[in-house]
Amino acid sequence: MISNARFQWALVVITLSPVIVIFAGMILGWPINITWAAIAVMTVGGIGLCISTVKGNKIQVYLNEKGLRVTGPLLDASVPYVEIKHVVLRRNMDYGTRIAGYAGMETIGGNFVNKEFGMYKAGAYLSTPVCIVVSYGKKTLVFNLDSLEGTERVYSDLRSRLGTN
């Protein structure tokens, strides 16, 4: 089964790829029908991306027996418990700049960069005042849930699974 994030990234590629066809057609003098077909593909891909992102903008966190999984708009990150070095609860998170992903009015998801972590993955509700910061290997994952209570509950559960209370 394909994850929602992979489906959304495929739609990004489908939406943007026809731009190359349009420019190539302009330069090489291809028939106008090819340009119209490329525009149609871009339109359908763009509409599908909008629908799937708006529908799939919910951040979901799964703690199973092997590891942590966070899904959201243009985000699907899995981290085995054995790779996790640090877990902290953070207030006033500076998300930095979105490199690739989604930044809506209520949620963000995808790849971001800031001064503290460099490039990292994020899936967060902007209205929730705290985030869980997970450091693993040389990577970082930042996420939260749609409430302070839910985020604190997942944080406690994650720490207990790691054996760090």
mmCIF file of all heavy atoms in Angstrom, residues 6-18 45 49 53 74 101:
data_model
loop_
_atom_site.group_PDB
_atom_site.id
_atom_site.type_symbol
_atom_site.label_atom_id
_atom_site.label_comp_id
_atom_site.label_asym_id
_atom_site.label_seq_id
_atom_site.Cartn_x
_atom_site.Cartn_y
_atom_site.Cartn_z
ATOM 1 N N ARG A 6 3.776 9.561 -0.098
ATOM 2 C CA ARG A 6 4.341 9.156 -1.393
ATOM 3 C C ARG A 6 3.389 9.486 -2.536
ATOM 4 O O ARG A 6 3.811 9.906 -3.601
ATOM 5 C CB ARG A 6 4.681 7.677 -1.385
ATOM 6 C CG ARG A 6 5.868 7.382 -0.515
ATOM 7 C CD ARG A 6 6.297 5.961 -0.600
ATOM 8 N NE ARG A 6 7.428 5.763 0.293
ATOM 9 C CZ ARG A 6 7.992 4.617 0.497
ATOM 10 N NH1 ARG A 6 7.553 3.540 -0.114
ATOM 11 N NH2 ARG A 6 9.006 4.517 1.327
ATOM 12 N N PHE A 7 2.110 9.278 -2.297
ATOM 13 C CA PHE A 7 1.110 9.630 -3.299
ATOM 14 C C PHE A 7 1.140 11.135 -3.570
ATOM 15 O O PHE A 7 1.106 11.571 -4.719
ATOM 16 C CB PHE A 7 -0.286 9.195 -2.814
ATOM 17 C CG PHE A 7 -1.398 9.581 -3.740
ATOM 18 C CD1 PHE A 7 -1.521 8.982 -4.984
ATOM 19 C CD2 PHE A 7 -2.332 10.533 -3.366
ATOM 20 C CE1 PHE A 7 -2.547 9.343 -5.843
ATOM 21 C CE2 PHE A 7 -3.360 10.894 -4.206
ATOM 22 C CZ PHE A 7 -3.475 10.298 -5.451
ATOM 23 N N GLN A 8 1.247 11.932 -2.506
ATOM 24 C CA GLN A 8 1.298 13.380 -2.671
ATOM 25 C C GLN A 8 2.562 13.810 -3.410
ATOM 26 O O GLN A 8 2.517 14.686 -4.278
ATOM 27 C CB GLN A 8 1.214 14.070 -1.310
ATOM 28 C CG GLN A 8 -0.155 13.947 -0.689
ATOM 29 C CD GLN A 8 -0.195 14.438 0.740
ATOM 30 O OE1 GLN A 8 0.821 14.465 1.445
ATOM 31 N NE2 GLN A 8 -1.376 14.829 1.183
ATOM 32 N N TRP A 9 3.706 13.204 -3.090
ATOM 33 C CA TRP A 9 4.936 13.555 -3.810
ATOM 34 C C TRP A 9 4.842 13.141 -5.286
ATOM 35 O O TRP A 9 5.348 13.843 -6.164
ATOM 36 C CB TRP A 9 6.157 12.923 -3.143
ATOM 37 C CG TRP A 9 6.588 13.695 -1.939
ATOM 38 C CD1 TRP A 9 6.542 13.285 -0.649
ATOM 39 C CD2 TRP A 9 7.099 15.029 -1.907
ATOM 40 N NE1 TRP A 9 6.998 14.274 0.184
ATOM 41 C CE2 TRP A 9 7.352 15.351 -0.557
ATOM 42 C CE3 TRP A 9 7.368 15.985 -2.876
ATOM 43 C CZ2 TRP A 9 7.862 16.595 -0.161
ATOM 44 C CZ3 TRP A 9 7.881 17.215 -2.480
ATOM 45 C CH2 TRP A 9 8.115 17.501 -1.151
ATOM 46 N N ALA A 10 4.194 12.011 -5.566
ATOM 47 C CA ALA A 10 3.992 11.607 -6.960
ATOM 48 C C ALA A 10 3.142 12.645 -7.686
ATOM 49 O O ALA A 10 3.418 12.980 -8.852
ATOM 50 C CB ALA A 10 3.334 10.231 -7.025
ATOM 51 N N LEU A 11 2.130 13.176 -7.017
ATOM 52 C CA LEU A 11 1.301 14.212 -7.633
ATOM 53 C C LEU A 11 2.101 15.494 -7.873
ATOM 54 O O LEU A 11 1.867 16.191 -8.869
ATOM 55 C CB LEU A 11 0.071 14.500 -6.775
ATOM 56 C CG LEU A 11 -1.012 13.420 -6.789
ATOM 57 C CD1 LEU A 11 -2.106 13.740 -5.785
ATOM 58 C CD2 LEU A 11 -1.603 13.266 -8.186
ATOM 59 N N VAL A 12 3.043 15.802 -6.996
ATOM 60 C CA VAL A 12 3.906 16.970 -7.220
ATOM 61 C C VAL A 12 4.700 16.782 -8.510
ATOM 62 O O VAL A 12 4.784 17.686 -9.352
ATOM 63 C CB VAL A 12 4.862 17.199 -6.024
ATOM 64 C CG1 VAL A 12 5.952 18.204 -6.381
ATOM 65 C CG2 VAL A 12 4.092 17.660 -4.806
ATOM 66 N N VAL A 13 5.273 15.593 -8.685
ATOM 67 C CA VAL A 13 6.044 15.301 -9.897
ATOM 68 C C VAL A 13 5.152 15.364 -11.136
ATOM 69 O O VAL A 13 5.519 15.953 -12.152
ATOM 70 C CB VAL A 13 6.742 13.927 -9.781
ATOM 71 C CG1 VAL A 13 7.367 13.511 -11.097
ATOM 72 C CG2 VAL A 13 7.792 13.970 -8.678
ATOM 73 N N ILE A 14 3.964 14.770 -11.039
ATOM 74 C CA ILE A 14 3.030 14.786 -12.168
ATOM 75 C C ILE A 14 2.620 16.220 -12.514
ATOM 76 O O ILE A 14 2.485 16.572 -13.686
ATOM 77 C CB ILE A 14 1.784 13.924 -11.853
ATOM 78 C CG1 ILE A 14 2.162 12.444 -11.861
ATOM 79 C CG2 ILE A 14 0.642 14.199 -12.836
ATOM 80 C CD1 ILE A 14 1.085 11.528 -11.298
ATOM 81 N N THR A 15 2.461 17.042 -11.506
ATOM 82 C CA THR A 15 2.052 18.423 -11.732
ATOM 83 C C THR A 15 3.166 19.261 -12.349
ATOM 84 O O THR A 15 2.916 20.090 -13.220
ATOM 85 C CB THR A 15 1.587 19.060 -10.408
ATOM 86 O OG1 THR A 15 0.520 18.274 -9.885
ATOM 87 C CG2 THR A 15 1.115 20.487 -10.602
ATOM 88 N N LEU A 16 4.394 19.041 -11.929
ATOM 89 C CA LEU A 16 5.496 19.885 -12.396
ATOM 90 C C LEU A 16 6.209 19.378 -13.646
ATOM 91 O O LEU A 16 6.791 20.169 -14.389
ATOM 92 C CB LEU A 16 6.507 20.076 -11.265
ATOM 93 C CG LEU A 16 5.966 20.798 -10.031
ATOM 94 C CD1 LEU A 16 7.035 20.883 -8.960
ATOM 95 C CD2 LEU A 16 5.451 22.182 -10.392
ATOM 96 N N SER A 17 6.172 18.080 -13.905
ATOM 97 C CA SER A 17 6.869 17.522 -15.068
ATOM 98 C C SER A 17 6.413 18.089 -16.412
ATOM 99 O O SER A 17 7.248 18.319 -17.298
ATOM 100 C CB SER A 17 6.735 16.003 -15.097
ATOM 101 O OG SER A 17 7.371 15.449 -13.982
ATOM 102 N N PRO A 18 5.123 18.333 -16.623
ATOM 103 C CA PRO A 18 4.703 18.866 -17.920
ATOM 104 C C PRO A 18 5.298 20.223 -18.273
ATOM 105 O O PRO A 18 5.307 20.607 -19.444
ATOM 106 C CB PRO A 18 3.178 18.953 -17.786
ATOM 107 C CG PRO A 18 2.837 17.895 -16.805
ATOM 108 C CD PRO A 18 3.964 17.923 -15.826
ATOM 109 N N GLY A 45 -3.160 16.904 -12.106
ATOM 110 C CA GLY A 45 -2.207 16.645 -11.024
ATOM 111 C C GLY A 45 -2.310 17.692 -9.923
ATOM 112 O O GLY A 45 -2.276 17.366 -8.736
ATOM 113 N N LEU A 49 -3.391 17.023 -6.124
ATOM 114 C CA LEU A 49 -2.483 17.395 -5.038
ATOM 115 C C LEU A 49 -3.204 18.257 -4.007
ATOM 116 O O LEU A 49 -3.065 18.028 -2.802
ATOM 117 C CB LEU A 49 -1.263 18.127 -5.594
ATOM 118 C CG LEU A 49 -0.226 18.574 -4.572
ATOM 119 C CD1 LEU A 49 0.350 17.372 -3.842
ATOM 120 C CD2 LEU A 49 0.871 19.370 -5.247
ATOM 121 N N THR A 53 -3.811 16.903 -0.238
ATOM 122 C CA THR A 53 -3.122 17.624 0.826
ATOM 123 C C THR A 53 -4.122 18.178 1.835
ATOM 124 O O THR A 53 -3.919 18.069 3.041
ATOM 125 C CB THR A 53 -2.256 18.759 0.249
ATOM 126 O OG1 THR A 53 -1.332 18.195 -0.682
ATOM 127 C CG2 THR A 53 -1.484 19.467 1.329
ATOM 128 N N LEU A 74 2.627 15.518 3.081
ATOM 129 C CA LEU A 74 3.943 15.346 2.465
ATOM 130 C C LEU A 74 4.998 14.892 3.466
ATOM 131 O O LEU A 74 6.169 15.266 3.373
ATOM 132 C CB LEU A 74 4.363 16.623 1.741
ATOM 133 C CG LEU A 74 3.465 17.002 0.554
ATOM 134 C CD1 LEU A 74 3.762 18.402 0.062
ATOM 135 C CD2 LEU A 74 3.604 16.011 -0.574
ATOM 136 N N GLY A 101 7.745 20.397 0.932
ATOM 137 C CA GLY A 101 6.652 19.921 1.755
ATOM 138 C C GLY A 101 5.464 20.840 1.701
ATOM 139 O O GLY A 101 5.230 21.525 0.712
#
